[in-house]
Amino acid sequence: MFDYSKAFRAVRQTLESESRYRVFQEIARDSARFPFATWNGPQGPREVTVWCTNDYLGMGRHPDVIAAMVDAAENGSVGAGGTRNISGNSSAIVALEEELADLHGKETALVFSSGYVANQSAIAAIAGALPDCVILSDRENHNSMIEGVRRANRERVIFPHNDLEALEKLLAGIAPERPKLIVFESVYSMDGDVSPIGEICALARKYGAMTYIDEVHAVGLYGQHGAGYAEETGTMGELDVIQGTLGKGFGCFGGYIAASREVVDAVRSTAQGFIFTTALPPPVAAAAKASIRHLKQSGAERMGQRRQVTRAKTRLAEAGIPVLDNPTHIVPVMVRDSAKCKEASDLLLERHNLYIQPINYPTVPRGTERLRVTPTPFHTDAMIEHLVHALADVFDTLGLPREAVTHRLAAE
C-alpha cells in the first residue's frame, strides 16, 4: 500500500532542509495601538512592533473604516449570502464598484474576493475573449498574474523585466491584426521598483495592443487621490484595465478591476473565479468604500508614510544595513541566505520584539532572500531607531556583511 503520510512528510523535510519551511507567528493586532501588536509566542503573550504589514497606511484601524463595517454588519448581515449571481449582489458592493470606477476614471469596476483571484480570473477571461490573442507578460509579474496568463490558454511570451526594447521587438514580430495583451505591474512588491507605464502604453498604441496593469502595491499610496502609480505619473487614462486590491493600502480585503463597460461585462459573464465564488461580505465592501473615500481627499497618510520611509532608508544606510535601492515604500533588507534570513527574523522577534517575516524562495529567487520592511505613517522616529539598532545587532550576531558604518551609529 502507498504510504501517503510519508509522501507529505517528505514535503516538509525538503522544505526544512532548504530552510524554506514556513512558520506563521500568531499576531493579534489592536486598532488603538497600531503598529504594536501582541505576539502569542511559546513563552506567552508579548508586545511586538509589526514592521512587515501590507496595511501600508494603517487604514485597517481607521475609525471611519471600522464604523462603516460595524454599521453594515449591524444593519444588514455579516455574510454576502451567496454569489453575485444568486443572492450576493449587495448595495454595498454596487456602491464600492462605483467608488472604484470614479477613483480610476473608468466607466465601471468589478469586485472580486481577493486581488489574487482578480488577476487569475480577469486576465484569463480578457485574453479568452480575444481570438488568437498573444499575451506579453513581464518576467517579474506576480504569481497571480502568471496563473491568469496560464489559464487563458493563449499564446504567451515573457519579456525581460521592464525591457522596452525587448518588448517592442516582440510586438513588432506579431501580425498587426492579431490581438495582443500586455500584462505588467506598476510597483513590484519584492524589489520595490516601478514600471515605465507611459512608455509601455505608447508601445501598446503603436502596435495595437491592450494594456493590463496590476496596481495592488500602489493604490491608496500614490497619486493625488490614491489611485495608484499611474495617477502619480499621469498615465491612468492610457491604460485599458487597472487591477487593484482592497487589502493593502486601503486596509481591508478583496480585489477588483476597473475598465470599460464592455471589458468588465465580458469578465463578469465569463470569469470562473468571479461567477462561482461567494461575494465579498457587505461589511467589508462598506469598509473598503469608506477607506477609498477618505484617501481620495486626504493626503496626510501618504505624506506621513513617505516621510518615515525616507527616514528609515536613510538611517539603515547610515548603519551599513544593505537595502535594495528603489523609489518606493518597499524597504528590502538583503540577507541573501535562506537559513540566516529565518534566523534573523527569529532573533528580531525574540531578542528585540520586532516582527518581520523572512522572504525566501519561491517568493524571491534563491540567493536574494530578504527581510521586507514596510514603514507606515504610524512608525515613529523612535521606532525607526529601534529597528536600525536591532538590525545592526542581528547582522553582527549572524556574521552578515554590513556596508561602511558611520560614526553616528557607533556613538549612539
Side-chain angles (χ1 to χ4, degrees):
M1 301 291 289
F2 184 80
D3 191 337
Y4 293 95
S5 295
K6 181 180 179 180
F8 290 114
R9 284 197 305 271
V11 173
R12 174 168 180 160
Q13 290 166 357
T14 298
L15 292 171
E16 287 178 331
S17 70
E18 298 176 355
S19 300
R20 293 196 296 118
Y21 182 70
R22 299 184 180 224
V23 177
F24 299 148
Q25 304 291 352
E26 183 184 339
I27 300 292
R29 296 175 61 181
D30 185 334
S31 65
R33 299 167 57 244
F34 180 85
F36 291 118
T38 300
W39 170 44
N40 293 310
Q43 306 304 319
R46 189 198 300 180
E47 182 179 88
V48 298
T49 305
V50 178
W51 274 103
C52 57
T53 182
N54 281 345
D55 186 0
Y56 295 128
L57 301 177
M59 291 302 295
R61 42 80 61 199
H62 193 282
D64 291 350
V65 176
I66 295 172
M69 173 173 276
V70 171
D71 181 69
E74 289 182 342
N75 294 292
S77 65
V78 171
T83 65
R84 294 282 291 275
N85 186 55
I86 295 176
S87 59
N89 193 41
S90 66
S91 296
I93 288 185
V94 173
L96 172 59
E97 289 174 342
E98 291 173 353
E99 196 73 42
L100 287 165
D102 179 74
L103 175 69
H104 291 292
K106 300 300 182 186
E107 289 183 335
T108 189
L110 188 69
V111 171
F112 293 79
S113 56
S114 73
Y116 191 103
V117 173
N119 272 336
Q120 185 185 59
S121 303
I123 292 173
I126 291 168
L130 304 173
D132 200 27
C133 177
V134 181
I135 306 174
L136 301 102
S137 177
D138 188 289
R139 188 178 300 280
E140 296 299 317
N141 278 342
H142 188 263
N143 177 265
S144 59
M145 304 182 80
I146 294 171
E147 278 298 297
V149 171
R150 185 181 65 81
R151 287 169 178 262
N153 197 29
R154 292 288 188 263
E155 181 182 348
R156 56 187 182 270
V157 181
I158 312 300
F159 62 91
H161 181 50
N162 280 348
D163 192 328
L164 295 170
E165 183 178 351
L167 177 59
E168 180 162 20
K169 286 182 179 178
L170 290 170
L171 287 166
I174 302 171
E177 67 273 12
R178 287 188 72 180
K180 296 165 278 288
L181 178 67
I182 306 172
V183 296
F184 62 108
E185 300 182 41
S186 62
V187 175
Y188 289 84
S189 63
M190 288 298 116
D191 288 352
D193 59 330
V194 297
S195 62
I197 301 176
E199 290 86 344
I200 291 176
C201 288
L203 288 177
R205 288 193 301 272
K206 181 178 179 180
Y207 293 98
M210 279 188 67
T211 50
Y212 180 109
I213 193 169
D214 176 313
E215 285 258 46
V216 297
H217 291 276
V219 289
L221 309 178
Y222 297 94
Q224 183 179 354
H225 305 96
Y229 194 66
E231 184 186 33
E232 181 97 356
T233 57
T235 55
M236 194 162 60
E238 301 176 36
L239 294 156
D240 293 301
V241 184
I242 297 174
Q243 183 267 347
T245 184
L246 306 169
K248 295 181 171 62
F250 295 128
C252 297
F253 187 77
Y256 65 89
I257 63 168
S260 68
R261 293 192 185 280
E262 292 82 4
V263 169
V264 170
D265 191 46
V267 173
R268 180 185 67 84
S269 302
T270 63
Q272 295 182 6
F274 173 82
I275 295 171
F276 298 107
T277 301
T278 298
L280 207 65
V284 175
K289 179 189 172 184
S291 180
I292 295 164
R293 180 159 290 186
H294 174 84
L295 289 174
K296 274 183 177 179
Q297 301 175 14
S298 172
E301 292 81 6
R302 288 186 285 277
M303 290 176 60
Q305 187 210 30
R306 292 189 186 193
R307 180 178 60 248
Q308 297 310 87
V309 167
T310 298
R311 182 173 182 83
K313 287 182 176 181
T314 299
R315 290 295 289 122
L316 289 168
E318 291 173 345
I321 304 299
V323 173
L324 200 63
D325 185 40
N326 65 57
T328 66
H329 61 285
I330 309 294
V331 186
V333 175
M334 304 306 292
V335 178
R336 304 183 189 282
D337 179 280
S338 60
K340 289 189 175 182
C341 196
K342 177 63 169 64
E343 289 182 72
S345 175
D346 291 343
L347 279 174
L348 287 167
L349 186 60
E350 295 162 6
R351 184 183 292 181
H352 298 284
N353 298 323
L354 300 181
Y355 175 62
I356 311 175
Q357 284 288 77
I359 306 294
N360 291 337
Y361 177 85
T363 306
V364 294
R366 298 179 194 274
T368 69
E369 293 82 4
R370 67 200 63 187
L371 300 169
R372 181 177 174 274
V373 176
T374 53
T376 74
F378 299 95
H379 285 95
T380 65
D381 292 354
M383 291 178 186
I384 291 173
E385 293 306 310
H386 181 201
L387 170 71
V388 171
H389 284 270
L391 280 169
D393 173 66
V394 167
F395 265 62
D396 292 345
T397 298
L398 297 178
L400 293 168
R402 282 208 273 162
E403 298 162 356
V405 182
T406 67
H407 294 298
R408 178 181 175 183
L409 181 72
E412 292 171 356

